[in-house]
Amino acid sequence: MPEFDVVSLPDHDAPSVGDTAPDFTRPLVNAEFWEDASLSDLTDDGPVLLVFHTMAGAFPATYVWNELRDRGVPEDVQTVGVSISSPYEHKSFLEERGVDARLFSDPAAGVAADYDLEHDLDGMAGVTEHRPAVFLLDEDRTVLYRWVADEWPDFPDYEDIADALADL
């Protein structure tokens, strides 16, 4: 794993287990196309593993998606990501990395703000990305599992995610 300077992230007020996750509508990208979709559109069809990640192509995003791919997510759970990357960047990322998920494009980081997951990038005035986080949501958008990074870079405990998925 490459070496990074570890940065402590400020306190946050992201949704907790038992809370209703905020709904949002953004372009949802797959390997072929994108279209506006809401989170509630997805949860209406069943549980959703919602993964907030850094810019598409950045090492942390690649690592998270490789781990999720290698460990597997049950077929009855939709796995979707959210980052500041454009639909074009997401489409390339999905193709190049073989990611079997769909990714919401949130370039202005409005969803990150709604979830209190903004992370201002040092040395880049006006650039905010998503603090890494994972939420498992049920059909009502109730948070069943939550992990939010306390430092950057930081990665979820994939066994904890597997346990939460197994408990569905």
Side-chain angles (χ1 to χ4, degrees):
M1 198 181 278
E3 292 197 26
F4 295 97
D5 289 333
V6 175
V7 176
S8 292
L9 298 173
D11 290 341
H12 62 84
D13 193 26
S16 296
V17 171
D19 290 347
T20 300
D23 197 13
F24 59 87
T25 299
R26 293 291 186 278
L28 184 59
V29 182
N30 66 31
E32 297 178 20
F33 64 93
W34 59 81
E35 62 185 349
D36 286 348
S38 69
L39 178 60
S40 59
D41 289 340
L42 302 182
T43 57
D44 284 348
D45 292 334
V48 170
L49 187 65
L50 183 63
V51 180
F52 287 82
H53 58 90
T54 58
M55 292 178 253
F59 168 75
T62 300
Y63 184 79
V64 166
W65 286 108
N66 285 349
E67 284 293 319
L68 290 171
R69 178 197 62 220
D70 293 349
R71 293 169 185 267
V73 174
E75 288 185 21
D76 60 339
V77 177
Q78 297 177 76
T79 305
V80 296
V82 186
S83 87
I84 63 169
S85 297
S86 73
Y88 297 102
E89 292 164 322
H90 277 319
K91 188 173 181 308
S92 294
F93 181 69
L94 292 170
E95 290 171 358
E96 292 169 6
R97 301 294 179 200
V99 174
D100 185 23
R102 294 176 292 167
L103 306 176
F104 282 107
S105 180
D106 184 35
V111 176
D114 290 346
Y115 279 72
D116 198 26
L117 296 173
E118 307 107 303
H119 172 55
D120 294 331
L121 294 178
D122 292 334
M124 294 189 202
V127 178
T128 299
E129 72 174 353
H130 297 74
R131 174 187 217 147
V134 178
F135 299 90
L136 179 59
L137 310 175
D138 70 8
E139 294 83 357
D140 297 318
R141 294 192 334 271
T142 301
V143 177
L144 304 176
Y145 166 84
R146 173 188 94 157
W147 172 84
V148 178
D150 291 322
E151 57 189 26
W152 193 98
D154 196 6
F155 300 95
D157 183 321
Y158 298 99
E159 292 302 318
D160 286 351
I161 294 172
D163 290 345
L165 291 165
D167 288 343
L168 285 175

